[in-house]
Amino acid sequence: MTTLCVDETRTDGWAAAVTMAITVFTVVTAEMLPVGLLTPIGATLGVSEGTAGLTLTVTGLVAALSSPVLPLLLGKVDRRAVLVGLMLLLAGASVLAAWSPTYAVLVVARILTGVSMGGVWLLTVGLAARLVPKQSVGPATSLIFSGIGIASVLGIPAGAYVGELVGWRWAFASIGVLSLILAAAIAFLLPPLPAAAAVRLADVSAALRIKQVRVGLVLVALLVTAHFSAYTYIRPMLDGLGPSLVGTLLLAYGVAGVTGNFVAGSAKSYRLMLGVIATLIALPVLAMPVLGTTVPGALVLLVIWGFGYGGTTVTTQAWNHAAAPTAPEASSALLVGVFNGAIALGAFSGGRVVDHLGTTAVTWVTGALALTALAIVLAQQTPSVRRFRMRPKDRAL
């Protein structure tokens, strides 16, 4: 088996890590861009806001479905070249979305965006270990995934602002230009990233047979579905406090999320961190209908919630890597697929609950799912690289 490792004396890997952080920021912003543009998109293309919102759901579903399939199709192609190709695809999809004369064309553009997003997420999970020395992997991983929190703080509001200033099509076009720049930066700043072996369907199946991989996927499904069930509909929860304050409150949430990401990346026990994350998602959301009716109360609850969820990506990735250290791409394909599927499921299920039972009821759903995740975490041991090493015949990389 070929071991893929980084030169312990390298320092230029941090430039690559920063590039990937900006890449993650761009991909997440592209995914969530319709959130702030539903009204003008619907008005231009002649569809309702609800129908326009499906452009967000379809992207998440395609990303969830494409992530497990891509490793099987990529073979031993250098992963740097694949990342460049995926960002070029995102650039093309964004330009197509900006041009789209009909809703159907926009949906096609969003499908292509989902393919790009699923691939970038897949290859970014665990990438830090190939860019920086071993002792810096945790901080570098946090840096890379800080792009998620920063996208919620800056990317989505910036897209909405551009849409309001010069039109929603220019918001998508801006993502296209940034994607082109990043494709060039990845080509020049990332080292070659060869795959030691092509990923086979048997490798994905082998990873899935590991108990702690399955546990990790269940935790991801519960936590991410719980979060997006409520967060997707946070706007109606906060509107009673005054529309002018919603942006400020969400900004505080986003800053707390970025902070939580870096704290989680430096944590010594990701089992403990997952327990903290589940608790910090459940309690503030359950308290929102009672304590979130005032600005100070909502601010405190959103900061706690944001801090908790901010560490989800980096912590679940650490759990996943420890559970299947010899098959990073196969296990990552499963993780990314479940993660994106849970985003779509959370947004969809939360919407059904809000439509039929109201925003208070959706907080109960979130609390129940997060507390279930906490119970599972408490019943587990932290995955051990030694204990959960794959059998030789199941090794993928």
Side-chain angles (χ1 to χ4, degrees), residues 46 107 126 142 163-164 214 287 307:
V107 170
S142 295
E164 186 172 339
R214 298 195 301 271
F307 181 85

Side-chain angles (χ1 to χ4, degrees), residues 2 23 38 59 70 104 192 201 310 325 330 351 389:
T2 303
T23 299
L38 292 184
T59 302
L70 282 174
L201 183 60
R389 186 175 299 277

Side-chain angles (χ1 to χ4, degrees), residues 172-186:
F172 283 99
S174 299
I175 293 295
V177 172
L178 182 55
S179 298
L180 284 175
I181 295 172
L182 285 168
I186 290 170

